Amino acid sequence: MKQTQINRLEMAQATDNHLNLHTAIWNTIPVFGETKNRLAQLISEIKETAKDQNEAQVFIGSSQREIKKTIADKMDIIDDAIQSYAEDTENAELLSRSSNTASDYFKLPNEDFETKVLAMIQLSEDTLPAMQKYGATQEEIEDVKILANNFLEKRQKPRAFQIASKVATLSLDDQFKEMTQILKRLDRLMKRFKSSHPTFYIGYNSSRLVVDK
């Protein structure tokens, strides 16, 4: 997350916390409760998206050898799912292509390793609809794509996939846009408490201030 987004998230959390402390004032107003609950959900969703975004960058600081070892281990898991599917459907060609161990991947020269991994990622995506019943997931494939990109960058080659962090960033932007709209709606709904509960109202406005860092 950008620092400006972190600042806005902290503001939203402060606002949500203030509302939580004064539930008795607003909990009989359905529209207010619905809007407040959506704010709480968005805060959780934003944190989860930010976590995904950070994980997409986690291996950038790792060595080329460390990334290669991690890719080999993850490809072994994906290959196991393909093998299970190939054996169950008696697909000899698919079985021959997927009978790889982590060691088989790791011991390949880097050029051959790149070629093999990119080919198997494509194969896993092509067979994913059928393989999902055998334990394969799109998340596993996306994870390997992120690592493959990092491995290629370590070798000063172009990224093979445009995924992960960019996707998370776009999703994060959308979530913050919705959060802005939710907070604006709460601002409007709070007007009814301006005279009846002035302390609550003033505290809300204070919590809505973004502190730049």
Side-chain angles (χ1 to χ4, degrees), residues 58-85:
V58 73
F59 285 96
I60 288 178
S62 302
S63 72
Q64 180 178 301
R65 182 180 177 83
E66 288 172 330
I67 298 172
K68 184 176 181 180
K69 178 65 167 61
T70 305
I71 292 173
D73 290 340
K74 289 182 179 291
M75 287 307 307
D76 188 16
I77 294 171
I78 291 175
D79 279 15
D80 284 347
I82 299 176
Q83 287 180 57
S84 178
Y85 165 66

Side-chain angles (χ1 to χ4, degrees), residues 11 19 22 32-34 58 62 70 72 94 101 117 126 166:
M11 175 272 292
L19 296 176
H22 299 86
F32 195 100
E34 291 169 7
V58 73
S62 302
T70 305
L94 186 60
T101 65
V117 168
D126 290 344
K166 182 174 179 59

Side-chain angles (χ1 to χ4, degrees), residues 4-120:
T4 53
Q5 291 176 323
I6 293 173
N7 296 343
R8 289 171 61 197
L9 180 60
E10 289 178 349
M11 175 272 292
Q13 288 179 296
T15 301
D16 187 55
N17 289 339
H18 179 72
L19 296 176
N20 286 337
L21 291 173
H22 299 86
T23 306
I25 296 175
W26 54 262
N27 67 354
T28 58
I29 306 171
V31 68
F32 195 100
E34 291 169 7
T35 309
K36 188 271 176 198
N37 289 339
R38 181 53 188 152
L39 174 64
Q41 289 173 353
L42 270 171
I43 290 171
S44 296
E45 290 170 10
I46 287 171
K47 287 180 178 179
E48 189 63 30
T49 302
K51 176 175 174 288
D52 292 342
Q53 187 185 60
N54 290 335
E55 288 178 351
Q57 303 296 331
V58 73
F59 285 96
I60 288 178
S62 302
S63 72
Q64 180 178 301
R65 182 180 177 83
E66 288 172 330
I67 298 172
K68 184 176 181 180
K69 178 65 167 61
T70 305
I71 292 173
D73 290 340
K74 289 182 179 291
M75 287 307 307
D76 188 16
I77 294 171
I78 291 175
D79 279 15
D80 284 347
I82 299 176
Q83 287 180 57
S84 178
Y85 165 66
E87 289 185 357
D88 191 42
T89 57
E90 299 182 351
N91 188 328
E93 180 184 356
L94 186 60
L95 182 61
S96 66
R97 293 183 63 186
S98 60
S99 297
N100 310 292
T101 65
S103 177
D104 291 334
Y105 280 102
F106 188 70
K107 68 184 180 184
L108 289 172
N110 286 339
E111 288 291 340
D112 295 339
F113 177 76
E114 290 172 14
T115 302
K116 178 74 171 178
V117 168
L118 296 181
M120 290 305 295

Side-chain angles (χ1 to χ4, degrees), residues 113-208:
F113 177 76
E114 290 172 14
T115 302
K116 178 74 171 178
V117 168
L118 296 181
M120 290 305 295
I121 287 174
Q122 183 62 59
L123 178 64
S124 64
E125 289 200 308
D126 290 344
T127 56
L128 181 62
M131 284 201 310
Q132 286 178 323
K133 294 181 180 179
Y134 297 81
T137 68
Q138 184 64 46
E139 288 74 17
E140 287 176 327
I141 298 172
E142 294 300 312
D143 193 22
V144 174
K145 284 183 180 180
I146 295 166
L147 294 169
N149 277 342
N150 290 334
F151 185 78
L152 290 168
E153 288 176 345
K154 290 289 183 184
R155 287 173 46 74
Q156 299 182 333
K157 293 189 174 185
R159 294 164 61 91
F161 309 102
Q162 295 299 321
I163 51 161
S165 182
K166 182 174 179 59
V167 173
T169 299
L170 289 174
S171 179
L172 209 54
D173 288 343
D174 290 339
Q175 288 169 334
F176 271 103
K177 286 178 182 177
E178 183 181 354
M179 188 178 78
T180 296
Q181 296 305 311
I182 290 295
L183 287 167
K184 285 181 177 178
R185 188 178 192 195
L186 282 172
D187 291 345
R188 295 193 295 270
L189 295 172
M190 279 295 300
K191 297 287 178 60
R192 68 163 293 149
F193 303 113
K194 187 175 182 180
S195 297
S196 62
H197 297 84
T199 302
F200 172 55
Y201 181 77
I202 292 170
Y204 172 84
N205 286 332
S206 295
S207 70
R208 285 281 283 113

